[in-house]
Amino acid sequence: MPHVMEMLGTSRVTVADGKVVDVGKSRIRWCPLFDKLHGIKEITEDAVRTNMEFRIAELGMFTKARNLDVDVFVNFGASEVMMTGLRTGLIDTTVTACDGAGTVITDNPGLVQGMGAQISGLVETEPIQEIIDGIRERSGTVVDPDAASIDPAVGVCHASELGYRRIAVTVIDPATALLIRRIESELGIKAIIIAAHITALSRSEVQDLLDLVDIVTGCASKHVRDLVNPLAQVGTAIPLFALTQAGKELVIERAKEIETPVLINTMPLPVLPEQKQPAGWEL
């Protein structure tokens, strides 16, 4: 089975044997984040391929040479927020996904950052033993090492079985978020749900999602920008929105670790300067 990841406007990229074998079409033409970080002025199939090849070469993504000790990629990404939450004790563990391993549980701040720093929307992956071994060496639990399946709800249940009570988990759709809320109630745990990779969701799906999660990334979603009513916001181009008190505490705690100056102010949210938003939506 090849590895499949959606990135740069949900372009679906297929990787096999460490090589990019297929690149789908992006839903947007320009992303302010990747323009800033990689100088990508227009998201074309060639640009997506080049960026995926960069991740394979630099991080060993989808290969046995995967680097799991990656530093901060953006100041306020999902993995960065979870990393800080673990360091400060706001959460006990995390449930995320990693290429070559599938769903992973870890209370190691460095590992959750290393796995998530430059990963995008992982659709499917296959087991890579060297990655699984590396995760285990760093105090991570691979939920399904035989198939590397991706199932956040199963991950939350397993984390609860391991004794964790305050569990941060990433999701990409409202159905999974709803299931985790039900599990949370049944097991008597606290789930902090972070929604990412939501560009392709419909308006109704986004509304359902916003009613269920604690933090949501803006990604390139017009619907999130139209519907969100956050308690806190970080970033203005590809913003991260805190929707609950628990989410707000995580985001503000993350701000304490940022080494560059931080502006804190009160104002109506969201704040979305038009010139900074992704362009060329094809939704």
Side-chain angles (χ1 to χ4, degrees):
M1 181 180 72
H3 309 274
V4 180
M5 188 167 76
E6 292 182 344
M7 52 187 282
L8 283 168
T10 67
S11 303
R12 182 168 284 224
V13 178
T14 304
V15 177
D17 299 320
K19 304 291 184 183
V20 178
V21 297
D22 187 63
V23 177
K25 186 178 180 181
S26 175
R27 291 173 177 264
I28 60 172
R29 292 196 303 270
W30 180 74
C31 172
L33 178 62
F34 281 89
D35 187 349
K36 178 180 179 180
L37 295 175
H38 296 285
I40 298 174
K41 301 300 181 184
E42 182 179 0
I43 300 175
T44 63
E45 290 183 16
D46 284 344
V48 174
R49 179 183 296 274
T50 298
N51 186 260
M52 186 69 255
E53 290 173 344
F54 168 81
R55 299 190 205 193
I56 293 170
E58 293 298 313
L59 302 174
M61 197 170 281
F62 302 115
T63 76
K64 62 183 180 181
R66 179 67 152 93
N67 182 3
L68 295 170
D69 302 306
V70 184
D71 203 358
V72 169
F73 179 56
V74 293
N75 280 332
F76 289 100
S79 61
E80 287 81 7
V81 167
M82 288 185 286
M83 173 184 67
T84 294
L86 288 172
R87 283 177 180 166
T88 58
L90 286 178
I91 55 176
D92 297 332
T93 197
T94 59
V95 176
T96 60
C98 182
D99 49 296
T103 296
V104 176
I105 302 164
T106 187
D107 58 10
N108 178 352
L111 178 58
V112 75
Q113 174 61 22
M115 293 187 297
Q118 293 198 47
I119 202 166
S120 297
L122 190 61
V123 177
E124 63 183 44
T125 191
E126 64 179 358
I128 297 176
Q129 192 59 49
E130 289 81 357
I131 295 178
I132 293 171
D133 291 343
I135 289 170
R136 288 170 171 166
E137 289 167 4
R138 292 165 176 79
S139 302
T141 298
V142 178
V143 174
D144 183 11
D146 294 329
S149 60
I150 301 169
D151 193 327
V154 170
V156 168
C157 290
H158 193 46
S160 176
E161 291 171 0
L162 293 174
Y164 295 109
R165 311 312 295 166
R166 294 171 297 170
I167 304 166
V169 53
T170 53
V171 304
I172 62 171
D173 64 89
T176 302
L178 178 59
L179 178 56
I180 290 171
R181 287 299 180 212
R182 290 173 176 167
I183 292 169
E184 175 185 46
S185 178
E186 291 170 3
L187 298 182
I189 59 174
K190 174 59 180 175
I192 296 89
I193 305 179
I194 302 174
H197 189 60
I198 44 74
T199 296
L201 294 185
S202 69
R203 188 177 182 88
S204 62
E205 287 173 323
V206 166
Q207 185 60 74
D208 290 343
L209 188 73
L210 296 178
D211 291 337
L212 292 164
V213 304
D214 298 279
I215 294 173
V216 63
T217 59
C219 293
S221 172
K222 278 187 172 182
H223 303 314
V224 168
R225 287 163 172 77
D226 288 344
L227 296 171
V228 72
N229 184 27
L231 297 182
Q233 172 184 339
V234 289
T236 54
I238 307 295
L240 194 73
F241 300 111
L243 307 179
T244 66
Q245 185 63 29
K248 183 178 179 181
E249 289 173 3
L250 270 177
V251 167
I252 291 175
E253 197 65 34
R254 173 64 194 151
K256 296 178 184 179
E257 292 195 345
I258 304 300
E259 295 182 358
T260 54
V262 175
L263 170 66
I264 298 176
N265 196 6
T266 57
M267 63 181 65
L269 298 176
V271 174
L272 302 165
E274 184 176 355
Q275 72 278 11
K276 286 190 172 185
Q277 304 314 301
W281 275 282
E282 296 181 10
L283 301 178

